[in-house]
Amino acid sequence: MDKFVITGGKPLMGEVSISGAKNAAVAILPATLLAGGPCVIENLPNISDVAASVHILHEMGAQVKMLDAHTLQIDTTRITSTEVPNELSRQMRASYYFLGALLGRFGTASVAMPGGCNLGPRPIDQHLKAFTALGAEDAVRGGMINVEAERLEGNHVFFDTVSVGATINAMLAAVMAEGMTVLENVAKEPHIVDVANFLNTMGADVRGAGTDVIKIRGVKKMHGCTYSIIPDQIEAGSYMVAATITGGNVLVKNVIPKHLEPITAKLERAGALIEEYDDAVRVCRTGKIEPLNIKTMPHPGFPTDMQPLMSVLLTVARGTSIVTEGIWENRFRYVDELIRMGANIQVDGRVAVIEGVPELSAAPVRATDLRAGAALVVAALAARGTSEIEEIGHIERGYEDLVQKLQGLGADIRRVSIPEQTLAQAL
Ligand code: EPU
């Protein structure tokens, strides 16, 4: 296993280009199962969650051709299996999208309980509620979730919780169901709109994505297409925080500034100066970091995936900040690691009270999940001294070329191998 070695204290300067959105890619890849022909997917991020999705498609019998580093041609016309076994499913949470896509295409799917970040309980009751409303039956047997329908028929679904995954899965299952499906109280994240746009490019009739109600008129057949994935809002936000905390000046390129608004608004209040261009934002800071109160909420609220990164920024604000996690039960596990770096944070349930300190100091730390890991990288970039971050596999699930991109901005970061300790050496 490798680790990151980061010497902090250098302001980040220059330009960075943002990759395609992870959370759109991991839904769009399974959605290719619905096409009646080859799809060309552009702007795919080169990250391990995407590799895991492609691996699953390949194992099912899809023909996958790499056209360039970020473009794949995927032909799912000759799929031989409708099952995603345990060893593949556990690699990432988003394997649940194979349920909706396989159900939509074949009327049957069997997917092992998904893995992914441990952020507290991650139920899928709302996904199953939508499948059942469309006429499917579900059962959990031997760690596998099985869904099956003789015929899928459009229906009205009111979600009890706003869920990104359930909204997308319901769309995947409904696009070829008979008649009209109305989904209410849906998620509105930019990647929901991206998946709907992809489905429409394949011939589906999905309207209203990005609002609280999505209407889907079932179509008989869908076709292959060429589609380019939107830029990753959270990767962009991560570099924006890194530029702000280090007092740098960074042009974050290949973004959709509108998608960044909830992040931009908070960063400006914290003291960042942000200029928006058509497809880029420039972020710099010269003054102090101001404390903030933040509560994470579904889009267009402040995104939970930015919460650990924003908390890191607030550890060095001049005053007290309150961060409330509104989505996940257990998203403060990284706080213990930040305390090792000199942060002053008290967590009570879903609320963290952060007392700003003058600076963070380097420490050996461990990434507990994807965004927590990214947050520790940002903390290390700002801290005095050399930090080592272990368990970086979590970070590589979602950040393409993190080391190269940060080096390009002048950061002192290296990836080094941790030699395996033998029993003899340990004694
Ligand atoms: N929930 C239910 N029942 C369900 C589904 C969700 O109660 O059937 C609850 C969850 O327990 C949670 C809330 O609803 O409290 C929101 O969960 P959601 O379903 O929206 O999350 P998700 O689809 O599993 C995606 C992202 C996460 C991101 C959340 C929230 C993907 C692959 N993952 O997860 O991203 O935090 O939406 O925006 O799209 C990350 O990228 O680091 C990450 C964790």
Side-chain angles (χ1 to χ4, degrees):
M1 191 28 107
D2 292 355
K3 62 184 173 185
F4 291 151
V5 178
I6 301 173
T7 303
K10 283 187 162 185
L12 298 189
M13 297 285 176
E15 298 182 1
V16 63
S17 190
I18 298 306
S19 302
K22 166 179 96 73
N23 289 346
V26 295
I28 284 174
L29 288 166
T32 60
L33 284 165
L34 294 159
C39 292
V40 174
I41 312 294
E42 301 170 344
N43 203 30
L44 276 166
N46 192 353
I47 52 177
S48 61
D49 265 13
V50 162
S53 304
V54 173
H55 187 187
I56 294 173
L57 284 169
H58 190 253
E59 290 292 305
M60 288 177 151
Q63 313 280 310
V64 183
K65 207 153 93 185
M66 195 160 193
L67 302 186
D68 66 45
H70 297 104
T71 308
L72 292 182
Q73 179 178 296
I74 301 166
D75 187 350
T76 60
T77 36
R78 285 194 295 275
I79 290 294
T80 50
S81 159
T82 56
E83 185 180 308
V84 182
N86 196 36
E87 63 278 14
L88 296 176
S89 179
R90 290 190 69 81
Q91 289 174 18
M92 58 158 195
R93 176 79 193 159
S95 51
Y96 53 42
Y97 289 135
F98 284 91
L99 280 173
L102 287 166
L103 181 64
R105 163 112 179 253
F106 299 104
T108 182
S110 188
V111 177
M113 286 290 195
C117 284
N118 179 9
L119 311 173
R122 297 188 74 167
I124 59 159
D125 56 301
Q126 298 303 304
H127 304 231
L128 299 179
K129 176 177 176 171
F131 298 153
T132 315
L134 296 172
E137 292 195 352
D138 64 82
V140 178
R141 275 190 301 270
M144 301 293 284
I145 309 161
N146 304 297
V147 285
E148 202 160 341
E150 259 176 40
R151 183 169 90 86
L152 289 170
E153 202 176 336
N155 203 345
H156 200 118
V157 183
F158 189 97
F159 290 107
D160 308 320
T161 313
V162 177
S163 160
V164 169
T167 302
I168 292 179
N169 244 338
M171 289 198 289
L172 300 180
V175 278
M176 288 203 283
E178 272 180 57
M180 183 75 139
T181 298
V182 180
L183 307 175
E184 282 200 69
N185 196 28
V186 293
K188 296 178 281 199
E189 271 67 6
H191 37 287
I192 302 282
V193 180
D194 206 35
V195 175
N197 287 341
F198 173 61
L199 293 170
N200 287 340
T201 312
M202 287 199 293
D205 184 354
V206 180
R207 296 173 196 203
T211 73
D212 293 309
V213 183
I214 295 178
K215 294 187 178 164
I216 303 165
R217 193 178 295 280
V219 294
K220 290 228 152 35
K221 217 170 152 338
M222 293 172 54
H223 49 76
C225 69
T226 296
Y227 192 79
S228 181
I229 289 175
I230 53 166
D232 197 303
Q233 172 204 20
I234 307 300
E235 189 198 11
S238 306
Y239 285 99
M240 291 167 78
V241 171
T244 307
I245 196 170
T246 61
N249 185 334
V250 173
L251 185 68
V252 183
K253 298 194 303 185
N254 183 34
V255 297
I256 299 175
K258 176 100 193 125
H259 294 172
L260 300 175
E261 276 172 5
I263 302 167
T264 304
K266 286 294 180 191
L267 281 178
E268 282 180 333
R269 288 192 49 201
L273 300 170
I274 302 179
E275 279 171 43
E276 283 184 11
Y277 305 98
D278 285 348
D279 62 353
V281 289
R282 177 173 293 285
V283 184
C284 67
R285 177 180 64 85
T286 46
K288 299 262 185 241
I289 296 171
E290 301 297 334
L292 289 179
N293 292 343
I294 293 176
K295 178 165 187 193
T296 67
M297 291 200 272
H299 192 80
F302 189 81
T304 172
D305 295 342
M306 283 299 298
Q307 181 261 100
L309 291 132
M310 208 63 185
S311 296
V312 165
L313 179 67
L314 299 175
T315 60
V316 287
R318 56 169 180 186
T320 309
S321 301
I322 297 177
V323 176
T324 308
E325 174 54 46
I327 307 288
W328 298 113
E329 248 173 53
N330 189 6
R331 206 166 200 175
F332 285 118
R333 292 197 310 148
Y334 63 90
V335 161
D336 287 345
E337 303 299 297
L338 280 183
I339 289 172
R340 292 160 72 92
M341 299 180 76
N344 181 352
I345 308 177
Q346 305 238 8
V347 177
D348 185 2
R350 289 181 174 225
V351 180
V353 178
I354 305 175
E355 290 288 346
V357 294
E359 67 175 358
L360 296 174
S361 53
V365 288
R366 221 168 253 277
T368 50
D369 64 62
L370 165 60
R371 306 300 171 189
L376 292 176
V377 169
V378 170
L381 291 171
R384 184 170 32 85
T386 301
S387 299
E388 296 192 353
I389 302 178
E390 292 191 13
E391 313 261 334
I392 61 173
H394 288 295
I395 306 173
E396 292 176 340
R397 286 187 36 228
Y399 289 84
E400 176 172 350
D401 289 342
L402 182 70
V403 169
Q404 292 83 339
K405 288 186 185 185
L406 284 172
Q407 284 172 344
L409 295 172
D412 186 343
I413 175 170
R414 282 175 300 132
R415 184 197 171 108
V416 298
S417 298
I418 307 175
E420 301 258 331
Q421 197 183 36
T422 62
L423 186 57
Q425 285 166 330
L427 295 172

